[in-house]
Amino acid sequence: MQTKEKLFNRNFVIIVIGIAALYIGYQVTGSVFSVFINSLGNGAAVTGAISLAWTITAVIVRPLAGSLSDAKGTKKIAFLGGILFGAGLFAMIFVTNAYIILVLRIIQACGHACLITASLTAAHKSVPLSRSGEGAFFFNGIPQTASQFVGGNLGVALVGVAGVSYVVGNADYFMVFTVSTLLVVIAVLCNFLQKKDIEAESDSPAAEKKEEVSEEVIGKGISRVIEVSAIVPALIYLFGAIGFQGFQSYVTLFASVNDLGGVGLFFTANGIAQFVMCLFAGKITDKFGNLPILVPSLVLGALSYVYMIAGGTNFFVLGILWGVAAGLLKSPCIAIGMKRCPKGREGKTQGTLNIAFAAGLGLAAFVWGFVIDAFGFSGFFKGSIIMTLATLVFTIIAVKKMKM
């Protein structure tokens, strides 16, 4: 009987804490960003346009950050990212002009792209190949859960908390941006507390097989920054995120426009649902493959919008439906990328996947922002259902073809 490869150690725990701090810091601001922009006299389309700028920047920078993480090491790239992301966040306290906010979000996107790609690359290298699914659900799922449960609620709670008297611009959001910045600092520190060289300890046949396909680590042409083997899982996440994850950007606005209370329950239920998924979904992925996780994710993502079209406004129920769907989507895509990744190209793999992670949420916010302004939330919900079901068909065909 083969000994189960070790996943949990000091280094892995530090990585998870760092990624969690980064995700929470992002979500503290993200959970109230549409309301923040609205408070400055702008509509949902402005939020969407700013989100698109973030997306374009991230799509350009994340693969470059992945390649640099392979070449220069994750710590240097994480430090650079932390400086840019943290400075861009803190500067939001003083700014009320939408054009300047746009510039700051582009700076933040550059920093976030470097920091998250370096952090995920470090996590990727620390996980044994045979436990890719379980590892992905812990280093992505746990932080993602924390971001929804802690970050979402904290962001809503911090709006209006007394700032400082000399802040002219956004006193109501002083604590939002300050806390987000401090969490970015924690994420950078966790990168520096990791071992100098991170590699998973593994003697498994799977790991030996992985060594055999690592001849051209640098690559040629576009493969210098893009890992081709990660394109399909990246597309699965991209289409799925556009399909149903856009609601995360507009849930507080939806509650505000419809005069609904209890939006904090959405983030609470969301966090609980995602945490429960993390406890067993990774093991299912490693044992039975990815479709038993990805199919329920997309089905529940569509059902969350069906619930709202039917008149459902209970944010706890909505958070459970949406939370399970969101909690199950990203980690299997990461696991597929990890298992197909040649050794020495971990950063490029995470950079490629991270293009989709950034583009999915950003494009969802952009597209659905215009749809909301033109057709209301009803048009948004119907369009999301169609897109999510189309993604379901693509996913089933693609995963079966990869035999993953």
Side-chain angles (χ1 to χ4, degrees):
M1 181 177 177
Q2 189 176 0
T3 304
K4 195 173 184 179
E5 296 173 275
K6 188 175 181 180
L7 173 62
F8 296 99
N9 51 47
R10 173 186 173 277
N11 213 64
F12 185 77
V13 171
I14 290 172
I15 292 171
V16 172
I17 292 172
I19 296 174
L22 179 57
Y23 277 23
I24 293 171
Y26 175 82
Q27 188 61 30
V28 166
T29 299
S31 63
V32 297
F33 189 72
S34 61
V35 179
F36 167 64
I37 294 298
N38 191 63
S39 73
L40 300 177
N42 304 291
V46 175
T47 300
I50 293 174
S51 297
L52 179 64
W54 173 291
T55 299
I56 293 172
T57 305
V59 166
I60 294 171
V61 176
R62 291 193 183 205
L64 296 175
S67 182
L68 288 171
S69 293
D70 286 334
K72 305 295 182 181
T74 59
K75 292 185 180 182
K76 292 179 182 178
I77 306 306
F79 181 69
L80 173 63
I83 292 175
L84 293 173
F85 190 31
L89 276 172
F90 194 70
M92 297 275 278
I93 297 169
F94 309 97
V95 176
T96 58
N97 183 282
Y99 292 105
I100 299 178
I101 291 172
L102 173 63
V103 173
L104 289 176
R105 287 298 276 178
I106 291 173
I107 293 172
Q108 291 171 32
C110 289
H112 185 271
C114 291
L115 184 50
I116 190 61
T117 304
S119 299
L120 290 173
T121 300
H124 181 159
K125 290 183 176 183
S126 72
V127 176
L129 190 62
S130 65
R131 300 184 71 176
S132 297
E134 191 177 0
F137 266 97
F138 276 100
F139 75 68
N140 169 71
I142 293 295
Q144 186 170 282
T145 299
S147 74
Q148 297 298 321
F149 185 73
V150 179
N153 281 296
L154 189 57
V156 173
L158 288 173
V159 175
V161 174
V164 289
S165 59
Y166 60 80
V167 174
V168 177
N170 303 305
D172 284 345
Y173 292 86
F174 173 80
M175 291 303 297
V176 171
F177 298 126
T178 300
V179 169
S180 293
T181 303
L182 291 174
L183 287 163
V184 171
V185 172
I186 293 173
V188 174
L189 290 175
C190 285
N191 272 276
F192 277 91
L193 289 173
Q194 296 165 21
K195 292 179 181 178
K196 184 177 180 181
D197 297 307
I198 301 171
E199 293 291 346
E201 295 179 3
S202 176
D203 297 320
S204 70
E208 291 173 8
K209 182 180 178 181
K210 192 174 180 180
E211 290 278 358
E212 296 172 4
V213 294
S214 60
E215 296 178 0
E216 295 187 5
V217 174
I218 297 177
K220 298 178 181 179
I222 192 65
S223 65
R224 287 180 176 270
V225 292
I226 296 292
E227 175 49 48
V228 176
S229 66
I231 290 177
V232 171
L235 287 176
I236 291 172
Y237 177 81
L238 175 64
F239 297 150
I242 294 174
F244 73 85
Q245 290 206 355
F247 188 63
Q248 178 174 308
S249 299
Y250 295 107
V251 61
T252 51
L253 184 61
F254 173 73
S256 176
V257 168
N258 291 280
D259 198 24
L260 297 172
V263 67
L265 288 174
F266 173 83
F267 298 107
T268 301
N270 189 351
I272 292 171
Q274 291 194 33
F275 177 75
V276 172
M277 293 302 100
C278 291
L279 298 179
F280 63 85
K283 293 181 180 180
I284 292 175
T285 297
D286 288 333
K287 188 172 183 180
F288 299 105
N290 296 281
L291 283 180
I293 299 298
L294 288 170
V295 169
S297 168
L298 294 164
V299 170
L300 288 172
L303 285 177
S304 66
Y305 290 104
V306 172
Y307 172 74
M308 285 183 284
I309 289 175
T313 56
N314 186 311
F315 281 111
F316 189 83
V317 173
L318 181 59
I320 292 293
L321 284 172
W322 194 93
V324 172
L328 293 177
L329 180 61
K330 186 189 290 186
S331 295
C333 297
I334 294 176
I336 293 172
M338 291 170 68
K339 289 181 178 179
R340 291 165 60 85
C341 169
K343 185 174 176 60
R345 294 181 64 87
E346 293 86 355
K348 295 177 181 65
T349 295
Q350 292 303 320
T352 303
L353 292 169
N354 269 283
I355 294 175
F357 300 159
L361 297 180
L363 287 174
F366 174 72
V367 172
W368 301 125
F370 282 97
V371 171
I372 290 168
D373 280 352
F375 304 103
F377 277 94
S378 176
F380 166 36
F381 298 155
K382 292 174 183 176
S384 293
I385 291 171
I386 294 171
M387 182 65 189
T388 303
L389 293 179
T391 303
L392 175 62
V393 175
F394 170 77
T395 299
I396 292 172
I397 294 171
V399 173
K400 283 187 174 180
K401 188 174 181 179
M402 290 188 295
K403 298 180 180 180
M404 299 295 289

